[in-house]
């Protein structure tokens, strides 16, 4: 994929590293000379130096990009970069980091629907950590109200002797698969569980607590 | 006319004074409370808390009747507190072009403010405003043009 990253701070730096390692083509827009030098030394010719404006976005090849990711240190820059990428340069997918969580709804209303807020993520983790330590959130979907979680069954799990169809699973959750050793079991009504089974489930955030009661004592 | 000005620097304060002098209603927003000193020395402070944070303070000038609100002009909630829903015009003239652009996009697209105009410091960013359909003035370009015309006359 062809990715343009706006902002060569710490997030931009590690993002570039990860994307290059996965074989993607990356161009970074960054105004600071020292930061630019760091990128060039580490990753070669990936940086276009300057403030994020129309000419520079074009020079960075944004028109050919599949994704633009705006991770500058200022919400305003990220919003403007995303709006230009989406509306003018027709980039199919834009992602923005928001620093002030209050900016998020503004971004959404303006059509930037994929935002990442570390404040939001950390708050969610803390909230979930407060309810459960056994259930690990893997991926938040939708607007964060749907998630894929992982559970590992303890030897004393109340679900062990019961077949799946008789478990009081919450209405808004689905078991996706069971990882048993190096096998993947697709759950059916007759499936029964073994200790140390790893279960992947799709659930509403509300359903997490009930899942916990089904599988843990 | 009801005008909302974002940025109480030299341009913002001057504009606020002019508008109020002609009998218009002005609300001015700035992140830095000290900036409001530019408006004049007869400020009577009145604190108004917003429902969201309880922290935003506002000051009211006794003579000039300018409502001053402390906060960021790119914060939609704060702009709502400042009354963006009922204004006839928004002018964004902070020293940060991207803040001005964001305030303008919020005003135009989310609150249909009839008249929106911003200041742009770096002429290269005029094109951004143009592409986003925002009316922008770059004092630097205007100044240079005036000097040029004066020279070759």
């Amino acid at each position: 994929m062809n990715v343009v990253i706006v902002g060569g701070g710490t997030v931009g730096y590690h993002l570039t590293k990860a994307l290059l390692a996965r074989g993607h083509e990356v161009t970074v827009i960054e105004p600071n000379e020292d930061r630019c030098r760091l990128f060039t030394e580490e990753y070669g010719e990936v940086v276009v130096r300057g403030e994020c404006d129309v000419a520079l976005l074009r020079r960075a090849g944004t028109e050919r990009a599949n994704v633009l990711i705006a991770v500058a240190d200022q919400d305003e820059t990220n919003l403007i970069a995303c709006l230009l990428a989406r509306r003018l340069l027709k980039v199919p997918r834009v992602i923005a980091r928001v620093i002030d969580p209050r900016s998020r709804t503004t971004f959404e209303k303006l059509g930037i629907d994929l935002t990442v807020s570390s404040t939001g993520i950390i708050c969610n983790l803390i909230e979930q950590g407060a309810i459960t330590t056994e259930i690990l959130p893997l991926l938040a979907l939708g607007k964060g109200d749907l998630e894929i979680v992982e559970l590992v069954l303890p030897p004393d799990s109340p679900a062990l002797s019961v077949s799946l169809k008789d478990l009081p699973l919450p209405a808004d959750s689905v078991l996706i698969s069971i990882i048993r050793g190096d096998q993947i079991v697709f759950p059916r009504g007759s499936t029964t569980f073994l200790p140390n089974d790893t279960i992947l489930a799709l659930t509403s955030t509300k359903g997490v607590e009930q899942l916990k009661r089904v599988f843990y004592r | 006319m009801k005008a909302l000005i974002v940025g109480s620097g030299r341009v913002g304060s001057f504009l606020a004074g002019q508008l109020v002098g002609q009998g218009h209603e002005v609300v001015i927003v700035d992140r830095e409370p000290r900036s409001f000193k530019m408006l004049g020395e007869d400020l009577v402070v009145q604190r108004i808390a917003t429902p969201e944070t309880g922290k935003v303070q506002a000051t009211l000038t006794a003579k000039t009747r300018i409502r001053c609100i402390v906060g960021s002009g790119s914060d939609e909630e704060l702009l709502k507190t400042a009354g963006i829903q009922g204004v006839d015009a928004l002018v964004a003239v902070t020293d940060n072009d991207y803040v001005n652009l964001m305030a303008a996009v919020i005003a135009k697209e989310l609150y249909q403010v009839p008249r929106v105009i911003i200041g742009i410091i770096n002429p290269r960013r005029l094109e951004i405003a143009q592409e986003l359909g925002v009316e922008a003035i770059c004092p630097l370009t205007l100044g240079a043009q005036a000097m040029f015309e004066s020279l070759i006359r």
Side-chain angles (χ1 to χ4, degrees), chain A residues 52 74 76 87 102 106 109, chain B residues 74-76 96 98 109:
Chain A
C52 181
Q74 170 173 277
E76 293 86 356
R87 296 179 184 179
R102 279 150 52 115
T106 308
K109 282 194 252 176
Chain B
S74 58
D75 177 348
E76 189 185 342
N96 184 320
Y98 292 98
E109 298 187 19

Side-chain angles (χ1 to χ4, degrees), chain A residues 99-122:
Chain A
I99 294 160
D100 182 343
R102 279 150 52 115
S103 301
R104 190 169 206 161
T105 47
T106 308
F107 277 50
E108 279 171 6
K109 282 194 252 176
L110 291 168
I112 311 304
D113 46 8
L114 194 51
T115 56
V116 180
S117 146
S118 43
T119 327
I121 291 171
I122 293 169

Side-chain angles (χ1 to χ4, degrees), chain A residues 132-145:
Chain A
T132 168
T133 49
E134 296 96 340
I135 297 183
L136 183 69
L138 296 182
L139 185 66
L141 301 165
K143 291 196 188 316
D145 43 10

